[in-house]
Amino acid sequence: MRRRSLLALAPLGLVGACGLVPGDSDRRTVTVWLMKDSASQDFLRRFTERFEHEHTDLRLDIRIQQWTGIGAKVQAALDAGSGHGPDVIEVGNTQVPQYVEGDRLLDLTLESLRWGRSDWLPGLAEPGQQSAHQYGIPWYAANRVVIYRKDLFAKAGLTAPPRTREDWLTATRRIDSGGVQGIYLAGQDWYTLAGFIWDEGGDLASDRDGGGWRGTLDSPAALRGMDFYRRLQALGHGPVGSDEEHPPQAGVFAEGRVAQIVAVPGQARAIVQRNPGLKEKIGFFPVPGRTAHHPGAVFTGGSDLVVPNNTRERDGAVAVVAALTGATWDTDLARTMNYVPNRKSLAKAVAGEDGVAAMAAGAAQGRATPATPQWGAVEADNPIKPYMTKVLTGADPATEARRASRRITDVLNSLG
């Protein structure tokens, strides 16, 4: 996923080959591209020192990249001659499909089985797969939770966060009075809508019928998801014609008259910066599911690590990926950066931080956008947003869903 900085993190600088012994010229260099704000400088220093101590024939050259323009830069690196590009690259989890094309990524299926693939978060692992082969190895995740006002819940007689979607509606309805919005949910927050659609068993697009990818917003399951979104969105004054960034919902929450928003936990920091009086009043809970047995499905953003096929340091690159995504360093990264670890079994590692713990619980039900290289073009055109606005302003959902689904299909097919 190309992120607008999911969490407020300190900027990083270029990390070179730390911990080398002077004169140790026999080491082979493994070049690693990591994205700005993915890991702290201290984490990368500690990792480099330990890795080079344990792999005396290798040195690390970690180069920090900017998200802006990274797609074209990665494409060029994958097409470069052997040995002229990075050996390991961090990519957004939903970007992996576009890089797989042309046999340009190393197939890491066998390695993934040894590394515990069955325990990985599905929202990170599934976009990294193609035809049952694993190319992207999950590194870390972040996803939406419900950020709420504990004091407003208590004032309404609510002693615990809701665990089912119907209870969520009931609780929100009780709070939505007296000048307080039960929830602020923008009309075009399509990532949140996607979670409700997935919860119902639907999807944004599908290739299951063998006829290629097509939009599926008009399926009965997707329509049920949109109907729940409509009922929830009505319990506040979110603008029906814009998304959660216009205006930024953290700023609206900070004004003090909103009980809930659906956002990554890192937005709580922005809220408190604008309104310090809310610091002790903010809580978090996972987006509720259809039943109390597990949280609702959520879009999982984050990063995978890939190895280009044109690497000259295959074994060294695989060793770096194994170390960074292994339990020890992945847990360290999650604690350092307030991320969700890449494995469901590691959720306990972040249990002490309420926002991250809620995020980790939701991540176990995480999903990603359709795993087709053309999905980026759909997001650029994004017929989902106007579809949502039309439904929220009274248009027939089935009619508008068919129209939006046809547009998604056309965009996918226009790119082959």
Side-chain angles (χ1 to χ4, degrees):
M1 180 187 70
R2 186 180 182 276
R3 293 154 296 174
R4 296 183 298 265
S5 185
L6 287 171
L7 303 171
L9 307 175
L12 309 178
L14 180 66
V15 179
C18 308
L20 289 177
V21 177
D24 196 357
S25 59
D26 292 334
R27 291 180 183 252
R28 305 188 318 276
T29 299
V30 179
T31 301
V32 182
W33 284 7
L34 298 180
M35 301 308 300
K36 182 178 183 293
D37 294 344
S38 287
S40 70
Q41 193 166 14
D42 178 66
F43 173 89
L44 294 177
R45 177 190 58 78
R46 289 186 290 106
F47 174 78
T48 300
E49 290 178 352
R50 176 59 63 86
F51 183 87
E52 292 179 348
H53 177 74
E54 295 175 348
H55 300 79
T56 57
D57 59 333
L58 300 174
R59 67 182 290 269
L60 294 185
D61 180 13
I62 299 178
R63 303 184 181 188
I64 303 304
Q65 309 296 318
Q66 302 291 328
W67 283 107
T68 302
I70 190 60
K73 192 170 184 179
V74 171
Q75 297 282 15
L78 296 178
D79 292 334
S82 178
H84 293 286
D87 303 295
V88 177
I89 307 175
E90 175 193 351
V91 300
N93 60 322
T94 61
Q95 295 174 337
V96 178
Q98 64 183 287
Y99 301 137
V100 173
E101 288 190 314
D103 192 32
R104 296 180 299 169
L105 295 182
L106 193 66
D107 186 342
L108 297 171
T109 304
L110 294 179
E111 288 82 358
S112 72
L113 296 174
R114 294 197 301 270
W115 297 340
R117 183 169 72 175
S118 62
D119 192 31
W120 288 342
L121 297 177
L124 291 181
E126 291 173 1
Q129 298 173 6
Q130 187 175 86
S131 302
H133 292 267
Q134 193 76 42
Y135 297 92
I137 305 302
W139 192 21
Y140 66 84
N143 52 265
R144 289 161 176 76
V145 302
V146 182
I147 301 176
Y148 77 107
R149 286 275 300 274
K150 293 183 288 186
D151 58 325
L152 295 180
F153 268 58
K155 185 176 180 181
L158 301 166
T159 58
R163 296 182 60 196
T164 70
R165 290 196 335 202
E166 288 304 318
D167 287 346
W168 192 16
L169 285 174
T170 299
T172 304
R173 204 173 286 119
R174 287 176 63 174
I175 302 169
D176 187 41
S177 62
V180 173
Q181 297 184 56
I183 190 169
Y184 179 87
L185 184 60
Q188 295 184 348
D189 186 352
W190 70 275
Y191 280 121
T192 296
L193 169 65
F196 300 154
I197 290 174
W198 292 327
D199 240 9
E200 293 288 348
D203 212 332
L204 306 175
S206 174
D207 64 347
R208 295 173 187 168
D209 60 5
W213 284 94
R214 66 181 186 85
T216 53
L217 292 175
D218 55 340
S219 71
L223 288 169
R224 291 194 299 271
M226 182 66 224
D227 185 63
F228 179 79
Y229 190 99
R230 178 188 59 78
R231 290 191 288 159
L232 184 65
Q233 198 273 340
L235 300 176
H237 306 303
V240 296
S242 60
D243 62 23
E244 67 276 16
E245 290 297 325
H246 300 90
Q249 61 179 345
V252 178
F253 190 97
E255 293 173 2
R257 307 300 294 176
V258 170
Q260 305 171 86
I261 58 173
V262 180
V264 294
Q267 289 207 10
R269 190 173 302 141
I271 293 168
V272 172
Q273 286 176 346
R274 297 189 61 166
N275 188 346
L278 294 179
K279 182 175 182 179
E280 302 302 325
K281 298 177 181 179
I282 290 177
F284 310 87
F285 61 87
V287 173
R290 294 180 64 197
T291 71
H293 296 299
H294 55 71
V298 289
F299 170 75
T300 301
S303 286
D304 286 7
L305 299 179
V306 299
V307 177
N309 249 339
N310 59 11
T311 177
R312 286 184 180 174
E313 294 296 340
R314 182 193 186 284
D315 291 345
V318 170
V320 171
V321 174
L324 277 173
T325 64
T328 298
W329 286 104
D330 206 76
T331 299
D332 190 320
L333 182 72
R335 288 171 173 165
T336 300
M337 307 300 294
N338 288 337
Y339 289 146
V340 178
N342 61 3
R343 306 165 193 236
K344 290 174 280 188
S345 62
L346 295 179
K348 59 183 180 293
V350 293
E353 170 58 48
D354 290 347
V356 183
M359 193 163 59
Q365 309 300 322
R367 297 279 298 274
T369 49
T372 164
Q374 289 81 21
W375 185 255
V378 174
E379 290 194 22
D381 184 76
N382 212 331
I384 305 173
K385 287 186 172 184
Y387 155 64
M388 296 172 71
T389 296
K390 289 175 181 177
V391 173
L392 295 177
T393 52
D396 178 62
T399 299
E400 297 304 328
R402 284 194 295 271
R403 182 176 288 116
S405 295
R406 285 196 298 270
R407 180 59 187 165
I408 291 173
T409 302
D410 288 345
V411 173
L412 295 176
N413 290 339
S414 70
L415 296 173

